[in-house]
Amino acid sequence: RQGLERLSQGDLVSAADSFERALVAYPNHPDALHYLGVIAFQNGRFEKAISLMEASLKAYPQNSDAENNLGSAYLAIEKFDLAEHALRRAIALTHQNATYHFNLGNVLFTQKRLAEAVQSYRTAIDQRPNYPEALCNLGIAYRDLENLAAATKCFEKAFQFRPTYAEVAYNLANAYRDACRLSDAEHMIRQAIKLNPSNAKAYNSLGNILSESTKSDLAVAEFETAATLDPQSLPMASNVLSCMQYVPGITNAALQKASSVWVQKFTPLFKVPGSVRSHKDPAKKLRVGFVSPDFGRHPCGFLSVRMFENLNSEEIQPVIFSTRRTEREDDISRRIGIAAEWRRVLALADTDLISTITAAEIDILIDMSGHTSGHRLGVFAHKPAPLQMSWLGYVGATGLSTIDYIIADRWHAPPGHDAYGPEQFLRLKDGYVCFEPPADIGDVVALPALSNGYVTFGSLNNATKLNAAVIESYAVILRQVERSRLILRFRGLDDPGVTAHIYNQFQARGIEQTRIDIRGYAKHQKFLATYNEIDLALDTFPYSGGLTTCEALMMGVPVVTFRGQTFAGRHSTSHMSNAGLPDFVTDDRSGFEHLAVTKARDLQSLASLRSGMRARLLSSPLCDGARFAASFSEALRETWQRYCSSSP
């Protein structure tokens, strides 16, 4: 009794002393053994806890609490079968105990047995309706099952029961973000930060929310705070680098400095570079590995699938190391999987993935993530392949000296311009990607301005790219083209707080709200149909349109752009040039504004161009899979031959 009293007061040392003295008098006292196990568990001594709890159950097998705590201890050391057995035994002994069902749900969830976990959590909530922990974990399980509505409802109910529960506020904010309720998401994540100011994840989420709300300049500071609070987190530090690419005025020098800091910070966490195989055969069939979570309906998938399908299998054997969740694999994933050797490696830790790549005898390993979500740069730091490259998934240098080349073209990397990191540029003959036109695309319609009597500009780019400088340039253009309109569309742009922020910026620059048409999410076919209302598309900067520009061209809408200072700022320059439309590319921002106005005043030229745009694009290098695959293969072969002829 004395031990229990001290345990309830949180005095673990005195409680343990009392329980140990009880055992002197009664060596197999089941409760004393059990509670000593609880104390060991709370001190992180899980093996000791298991030993004590098993001794308690041996003395008194009917103790359901001991079985429950034993299950939690086994879960802590990831012995899931034993954890599940103990918890099911506890439930069999005392079925009406919400905590037991909750803990069983945790075991099942950890094993990704999501449907079973949901059932356990729901049973716990049935037995204890105001159970915020169970509601929170049920929401997380629903989120992973992609049932966003159910997840949001769980988080809201949990927060209602316990408004001081920081973890619930964090999860509810992310659910609102997923639902494009960005203003609600920002309010809730700030609540989470207020409740737990040291939660790095919350600052990271705030950065994502601000970025998607067209406030990338503010988002960088939140990502920096997250990285400071969790200095061991590669993804949070990488988010700083990724977000910087969107901030007006960003320079290559600033990006180089930031990537160097990232590398210096995390080099101690990486393994030393691996030993490179000494066998060099310049004529061998190359085994080329590609690492990415984005082999599917994603810009990486749409801009690479034709290359994979057209590679000469006698020259190159592509090996996909996919870190994409299996349930997210789609038709693009399957097409790439048919053309390549497909390996699912999401569950592998870096050390295991390094071993897998080494065992696969990869000659050239290509990173397709850079500093974006889900990257495996820790693997590339080890250099498990003789040659390593970065392509498509990131915009420029990663900062890793173990990555030898950035695959580019003469527009992204003009001759004479070096990469701003340790990597070299490997320039392909035409563009650096090959576009797969969407299957659900509609017909090109006549130029809307001819029937409307006014010009409609449009930008269907990611809202992250719509910074204050972009809006300023759009306003300059609208002021000079009388009665013109502007359509902005992307997921999240219809959030009331976001739309108000954009409208206010235009109004401050003399553009009435009636001239700005802001729309949010739409299914892909409807999204693309928006171009039927647009005469001329305007690019974004400093992060230029990539896949968005290609889709605009497919819908007959040319894109006005200018050559940016960074790799990210030259996507549209490359695509427009490859499509045979270099006259829509200019040198700088003022030239961009002037060119947009000039093009908008020549409706007959726009109408004529529109009617033949799709055919022009489909016959251009931008969509020629065979031509691109040959260029890609030739570049890799020449690089491999240089490697083979080099000294060790």
Side-chain angles (χ1 to χ4, degrees), residues 92-285:
L93 290 168
T94 309
H95 181 73
Q96 292 295 319
N97 190 303
T99 301
Y100 300 172
H101 291 282
F102 170 71
N103 287 338
L104 177 59
N106 292 340
V107 172
L108 298 169
F109 178 84
T110 305
Q111 298 175 84
K112 297 302 178 185
R113 293 159 61 181
L114 298 178
E116 294 174 84
V118 164
Q119 188 56 52
S120 288
Y121 291 139
R122 290 181 64 177
T123 301
I125 294 163
D126 287 342
Q127 294 181 5
R128 190 194 305 169
N130 58 340
Y131 195 164
E133 291 85 359
L135 283 163
C136 180
N137 286 12
L138 176 59
I140 295 170
Y142 275 135
R143 182 197 63 198
D144 285 2
L145 288 168
E146 300 190 356
N147 188 340
L148 182 58
T152 303
K153 185 176 180 180
C154 288
F155 296 138
E156 287 176 335
K157 188 176 289 187
F159 191 72
Q160 179 183 356
F161 285 132
R162 190 184 297 169
T164 58
Y165 195 175
E167 187 66 15
V168 164
Y170 166 79
N171 282 296
L172 180 54
N174 287 326
Y176 286 152
R177 176 194 168 204
D178 290 343
C180 299
R181 295 169 57 181
L182 297 176
S183 297
D184 291 337
E186 182 179 348
H187 172 75
M188 189 53 62
I189 202 65
R190 292 191 185 280
Q191 286 288 100
I193 290 170
K194 185 177 180 180
L195 292 167
N196 183 4
S198 61
N199 185 356
K201 296 187 303 179
Y203 287 98
N204 189 69
S205 288
L206 177 56
N208 285 322
I209 293 163
L210 290 172
S211 180
E212 292 169 14
S213 302
T214 76
K215 301 172 185 175
S216 293
D217 53 338
L218 301 180
V220 171
E222 305 303 336
F223 288 133
E224 289 175 338
T225 299
T228 300
L229 289 171
D230 188 355
Q232 303 298 306
S233 173
L234 274 71
M236 291 182 190
S238 285
N239 282 344
V240 177
L241 289 170
S242 289
C243 192
M244 287 175 66
Q245 302 275 1
Y246 296 89
V247 177
I250 191 64
T251 64
N252 285 327
L255 292 170
Q256 179 178 7
K257 181 179 179 180
S259 62
S260 297
V261 169
W262 188 93
V263 171
Q264 292 169 7
K265 179 178 180 180
F266 291 107
T267 294
L269 301 181
F270 298 144
K271 288 182 173 290
V272 295
S275 58
V276 177
R277 300 188 305 279
S278 59
H279 177 64
K280 297 180 178 181
D281 178 1
K284 67 170 293 189
K285 178 179 179 178

